[in-house]
Amino acid sequence: MEASKQHAVVASTGLQVDIHPLVVMNISDQYTRAKVERNGRETSIVGALFGRNSGRSVEVCNSFDLKVDQVDGMPFVDVEFLELRDGQYKQVFKNLEIVGWYCVGSTPPSQREASLLSQLSKYNENPILLKFNSMARESKQAMLVYESVVDLEDGGPTIQFRAIGSNIAAEEAERICVDHVARLQDRADNGDSKAIGPLSTQRSAVRMLQERVLLLLEYVKEVQAGNLEADKDILRSISSLCNLLPVMNSAHLLTPAASNRMMSC
């Protein structure tokens, strides 16, 4: 399929797309990670949509990111990586296939999207396009879905993208998981995460252990300096504690200096 001369957005033909929550979470996670790596600057991501076709209905169940190289400002998909991931997913989800791809943007499809379409049409004759709009203020504008058709105009092929409707389709297990994640996020935002309690307890325990070890170290130093009388029971306990250290496989503890310090106990 050759790149088109223009990329008009025309009326929908009735194709219905159902998108599972996992796809939205995957795309959002990939975009967030890519943006953090660029220190908060806007970035571009591309990925494949995995699902099933049934007449004029498309169900998008999963997704995975793609490696894309830029040549003269145009994107080129790493085909080897795409086919590797496609094969891995089909081993687990035997009844699913590549039904389209996604990218980031709020504007109608352009030459960039047409170039990606020509590369991905090998895996699906009419792949859908999902554009993730990170700047959308309304949920309806956050995901824009298009289907692609090829028309012959002026003796040459012209790719047109048709805007189509989409719904979030979630099974019972997915709704429970999404609700659970949302509740955990609300607790984290309010400083009430379930992880805070155990982590705070561990931090306090480590801090107390450090204080006790420093106290024992100071005691041994004072005994060696002759400022305190040696208590054999305490020294035996310290020696037993030191003998436990080699059990921890640490290169720092196996150095000659560390061995000498343990022997001095």
Side-chain angles (χ1 to χ4, degrees):
M1 185 184 299
E2 297 179 0
S4 64
K5 299 182 231 179
Q6 52 182 326
H7 317 285
V9 178
V10 297
S12 171
T13 58
L15 181 65
Q16 180 61 41
V17 177
D18 294 324
I19 304 173
H20 284 256
L22 178 61
V23 178
V24 181
M25 297 175 66
N26 285 345
I27 298 175
S28 178
D29 176 69
Q30 181 189 356
Y31 175 76
T32 301
R33 287 187 286 105
K35 192 172 182 179
V36 169
E37 290 175 357
R38 291 175 57 86
N39 297 322
R41 299 192 302 272
E42 284 298 317
T43 185
S44 176
I45 61 172
V46 177
L49 300 175
F50 221 63
R52 58 174 69 92
N53 284 300
S54 179
R56 296 297 296 166
S57 176
V58 178
E59 182 181 8
V60 185
C61 305
N62 209 332
S63 65
F64 57 85
D65 54 306
L66 295 176
K67 293 182 179 180
V68 178
D69 298 321
Q70 299 290 332
V71 179
D72 296 330
M74 296 303 295
F76 287 87
V77 176
D78 187 329
V79 176
E80 182 178 354
F81 178 80
L82 168 59
E83 294 182 348
L84 173 63
R85 294 299 300 273
D86 182 33
Q88 291 172 339
Y89 269 68
K90 285 183 177 178
Q91 289 180 4
V92 181
F93 309 102
K94 300 183 183 300
N95 60 334
L96 302 184
E97 61 180 352
I98 294 178
V99 296
W101 86 102
Y102 64 85
C103 61
V104 174
S106 58
T107 59
S110 62
Q111 177 66 30
R112 174 184 175 85
E113 283 75 22
S115 175
L116 287 170
L117 172 64
S118 64
Q119 300 173 55
L120 296 174
S121 59
K122 170 184 175 182
Y123 307 95
N124 190 300
E125 292 183 357
N126 296 301
I128 63 172
L129 165 62
L130 189 156
K131 296 200 73 173
F132 178 73
N133 183 5
S134 61
M135 306 301 294
R137 296 183 178 274
E138 298 181 3
S139 58
K140 293 182 178 180
Q141 300 297 323
M143 292 187 300
L144 307 174
V145 184
Y146 303 89
E147 67 170 326
S148 58
V149 294
V150 179
D151 293 334
L152 294 178
E153 294 183 2
D154 299 328
T158 300
I159 297 176
Q160 294 186 341
F161 290 90
R162 294 173 175 170
I164 55 180
S166 65
N167 296 315
I168 298 296
E171 298 177 354
E172 185 65 24
E174 292 176 309
R175 287 195 291 269
I176 293 174
C177 291
V178 171
D179 180 69
H180 180 66
V181 171
R183 291 176 184 273
L184 289 179
Q185 182 60 45
D186 290 340
R187 290 177 179 176
D189 293 340
N190 297 328
D192 190 27
S193 173
K194 290 184 178 180
I196 292 179
L199 290 176
S200 298
T201 301
Q202 292 181 13
R203 180 183 179 185
S204 299
V206 171
R207 180 180 296 174
M208 183 177 296
L209 175 62
Q210 182 185 26
E211 292 175 354
R212 297 296 186 271
V213 170
L214 292 176
L215 180 62
L216 293 176
L217 178 62
E218 190 64 27
Y219 172 77
V220 172
K221 288 181 178 180
E222 291 295 321
V223 170
Q224 289 179 333
N227 298 327
L228 290 177
E229 184 179 353
D231 187 311
K232 294 184 179 180
D233 291 335
I234 295 178
L235 292 178
R236 288 195 191 97
S237 298
I238 295 176
S239 178
S240 298
L241 179 62
C242 293
N243 290 334
L244 294 176
L245 294 178
V247 176
M248 297 183 293
N249 188 16
S250 172
H252 175 70
L253 296 175
L254 298 178
T255 60
S259 300
N260 292 334
R261 285 196 296 272
M262 288 188 290
M263 291 298 295
S264 65
C265 291

